[in-house]
Amino acid sequence: MPISKRIVVKVGSSLLANPDLLTPRWAFIQRLLEDFRLLRDQGYDIILCSSGSVALGLKMIGETPETAGLRDKQAAAACGMPLLLNAYKQVGTEYRFDIAQVLVTLRDMEERKRFLNTKNTIDRLLDAEVIPIVNENDSITTEEIRVGDNDRLAAKVAQMVQADHLVILTCIDGLYDKNPEEPGAKLVEEVEDVSQYLAVTTGTSDLGSGGMLTKMQAANMAQNAGCVTLIANGEHDSPVSSVLFNKREHTRCLAHTEPASAWAAWLTDRLQMAGSIVVSSDIVDAFEKEKMSILREHVQSIQGPYVKGDVIHIYSEDGEEIARGLSNFSSEETMVLTRNMNMPPEQLLGYKTRGTIVGKDNLVRLEEHHLQWDSPEDSASVNASSS
Ligand SMILES: Nc1ncnc2c1ncn2[C@@H]1O[C@H](COP(=O)(O)OP(=O)(O)O)[C@@H](O)[C@H]1O
Ligand SMILES: N[C@@H](CCC(=O)OP(=O)(O)O)C(=O)O
């Protein structure tokens, strides 16, 4: 099976749950899986990222979308997940599909080993022609350690399986050039640079989580991994193939050139910032010409806490994010190294090390098409050489 026939389909809560009764929308699931059958028969591998567990589980714990807090949503997800999977299972049988549940957490995407483990599982399911249904394991994730939206999670999965299309089905026809409630808002058919639209993407539907903002962030991650994102209304016959084959209106976010490697794509597109450092202007200038390792003398300030092996965001002194890279040290160790420049790293840390903060092979310089993240609050950062 050529890898170019891999698609990731993300389905939002509002398509899966009736807004008032919070019960499964069987007719939609029917249309979706009927379309999957058609695509499978044409040789497409499909990975489904499905929301809906929280919405479908709320009634069981006596909550509503308006009143539910984080704890309620965690419990609702535990109640709703079997209902959601049961719906897919029942309809799947009708269309000769086997399905499988893959529940992931933030760390399964952010830690390289766990990311590859998840990839292996999904690949194996696809080999067996089983449809992986991916969702966040909401019941065990708290605010600090959750992805929080399935748009970016789906983009991460698209990057993971090297899909060439990510199809995001939602309750609106695509991205509008301003708040769709405002008169005169127009559908944007093609997006090359998502950063132009971030300011006009506030608000979600009643059951949705991330709104159009996380769809744009997801599209950027997919773009950077060489994957096209199609955003469309799911309320349509053949909801996926009609968009994939360009038979109805939608927003198409173009793919950028292929990333240097799957490793570089994983390293660059993050779901959460583990920590960051500010580096001196000499290394920023040097970066213009070639990629170089970041040494302790380059570090101006550190924002943690983070641990050895976390991907950290690297900023210039004027707040521009210039690179991301795998840190060889925890934030505490980095602090010790940079505050005691006259002492050898080995002596400071008690083990053999050259003290390179980020090696050049574990570093990716951000390009124009990568969305930069705002630098963390200055007040929270600690000056590396202040004592
Ligand atoms: N510029 C925009 N274009 C389109 N939709 C937008 C825009 N800004 C905000 N939205 C809102 O995003 C919502 C879709 O996101 P969301 O509710 O999270 O859906 P889903 O549950 O499918 O992820 C729409 O209902 C719309 O109101
Ligand atoms: N993981 C959650 C959904 C999170 C989410 O992104 O929701 P949505 O914006 O409707 O796609 C759930 O299963 O309810």
Side-chain angles (χ1 to χ4, degrees):
M1 164 93 39
I3 229 157
S4 62
K5 282 200 138 187
R6 267 189 182 179
I7 53 176
V8 173
V9 177
K10 186 266 168 172
V11 179
S13 307
S14 51
L15 293 169
L16 290 160
N18 289 301
D20 303 326
L21 298 173
L22 301 175
T23 49
R25 295 189 66 225
W26 292 95
F28 168 74
I29 296 175
Q30 193 101 23
R31 282 200 303 275
L32 183 73
L33 294 196
E34 183 182 18
D35 201 24
F36 279 11
R37 179 77 267 159
L38 181 132
L39 289 164
R40 265 238 50 96
D41 290 346
Q42 293 182 26
Y44 283 89
D45 268 345
I46 302 161
I47 297 101
L48 176 62
C49 280
S50 178
S51 299
S53 68
V54 173
L56 292 178
L58 283 172
K59 218 167 47 172
M60 226 184 268
I61 60 157
E63 285 291 341
T64 65
E66 297 75 37
T67 56
L70 179 64
R71 229 173 116 243
D72 305 319
K73 287 183 184 166
Q74 288 177 306
C79 299
M81 204 58 212
L83 299 179
L84 184 65
L85 263 284
N86 176 51
Y88 283 125
K89 181 74 190 162
Q90 282 196 43
V91 180
T93 306
E94 203 177 314
Y95 292 101
R96 292 174 285 117
F97 281 123
D98 278 322
I99 58 153
Q101 171 181 271
V102 182
L103 291 180
V104 297
T105 62
L106 179 76
R107 300 229 71 88
D108 297 316
M109 300 292 115
E110 299 287 73
E111 287 174 20
R112 185 71 184 161
K113 251 194 202 158
R114 293 170 69 152
F115 180 82
L116 294 176
N117 272 340
T118 311
K119 175 181 165 45
N120 285 339
T121 304
I122 292 178
D123 280 344
R124 183 64 188 90
L125 290 167
L126 293 174
D127 286 347
E129 301 198 357
V130 174
I131 296 198
I133 302 183
V134 184
N135 196 358
E136 184 160 18
N137 195 349
D138 296 301
S139 307
I140 58 156
T141 53
T142 58
E143 205 60 72
E144 309 78 54
I145 52 153
R146 69 203 287 255
V147 181
D149 67 274
N150 276 352
D151 300 316
R152 291 177 314 138
L153 181 65
K156 234 12 205 173
V157 172
Q159 179 203 91
M160 176 188 278
V161 301
Q162 290 166 285
D164 72 336
H165 283 91
L166 164 63
V167 180
I168 300 184
L169 295 179
T170 180
C171 54
I172 195 160
D173 289 337
L175 167 75
Y176 281 79
D177 61 354
K178 53 182 162 180
N179 184 332
E181 313 265 292
E182 280 181 38
K186 284 198 202 71
L187 186 77
V188 181
E189 288 181 6
E190 199 170 275
V191 177
E192 201 169 344
D193 176 7
V194 302
S195 64
Q196 291 177 358
Y197 296 100
L198 299 181
V200 297
T201 55
T202 48
T204 69
S205 61
D206 289 346
L207 296 177
S209 299
M212 202 48 71
L213 175 63
T214 51
K215 288 173 188 43
M216 286 296 103
Q217 292 167 336
N220 185 252
M221 283 186 181
Q223 288 181 314
N224 298 338
C227 171
V228 174
T229 302
L230 309 171
I231 306 171
N233 199 324
E235 300 290 8
H236 202 277
D237 287 340
S238 311
V240 181
S241 56
S242 59
V243 180
L244 200 61
F245 305 139
N246 205 6
K247 290 190 181 146
R248 66 176 168 114
E249 62 181 357
H250 64 275
T251 298
R252 171 177 294 259
C253 305
L254 304 179
H256 298 303
T257 49
E258 292 293 319
S261 64
W263 158 250
W266 172 83
L267 205 148
T268 318
D269 278 302
R270 315 304 303 160
L271 293 165
Q272 200 181 62
M273 192 186 297
S276 64
I277 57 174
V278 174
V279 293
S280 54
S281 50
D282 49 333
I283 184 97
V284 176
D285 295 344
F287 267 162
E288 296 294 334
K289 295 183 205 93
E290 60 176 324
K291 205 161 68 174
M292 289 172 67
S293 297
I294 294 178
L295 308 177
R296 55 180 177 155
E297 54 264 37
H298 299 132
V299 179
Q300 301 295 300
S301 65
I302 301 153
Q303 164 78 39
Y306 57 84
V307 298
K308 176 185 164 91
D310 273 345
V311 174
I312 55 172
H313 297 229
I314 298 154
Y315 290 89
S316 68
E317 284 171 283
D318 47 19
E320 190 195 346
E321 193 186 359
I322 54 164
R324 289 179 195 166
L326 215 60
S327 178
N328 286 333
F329 303 102
S330 68
S331 46
E332 283 92 355
E333 285 176 325
T334 309
M335 187 78 72
V336 170
L337 287 169
T338 52
R339 283 187 171 180
N340 300 283
M341 292 297 293
N342 52 352
M343 284 173 74
E346 278 182 53
Q347 204 177 325
L348 288 168
L349 300 181
Y351 58 84
K352 207 166 165 45
T353 170
R354 276 196 238 158
T356 304
I357 305 297
V358 182
K360 66 177 177 187
D361 294 337
N362 290 333
L363 192 75
V364 176
R365 202 192 183 304
L366 292 196
E367 292 175 38
E368 238 169 62
H369 56 83
H370 293 120
L371 282 180
Q372 277 184 28
W373 289 30
D374 289 342
S375 107
E377 290 296 297
D378 283 345
S379 58
S381 71
V382 187
N383 195 298
S385 51
S386 62
S387 65

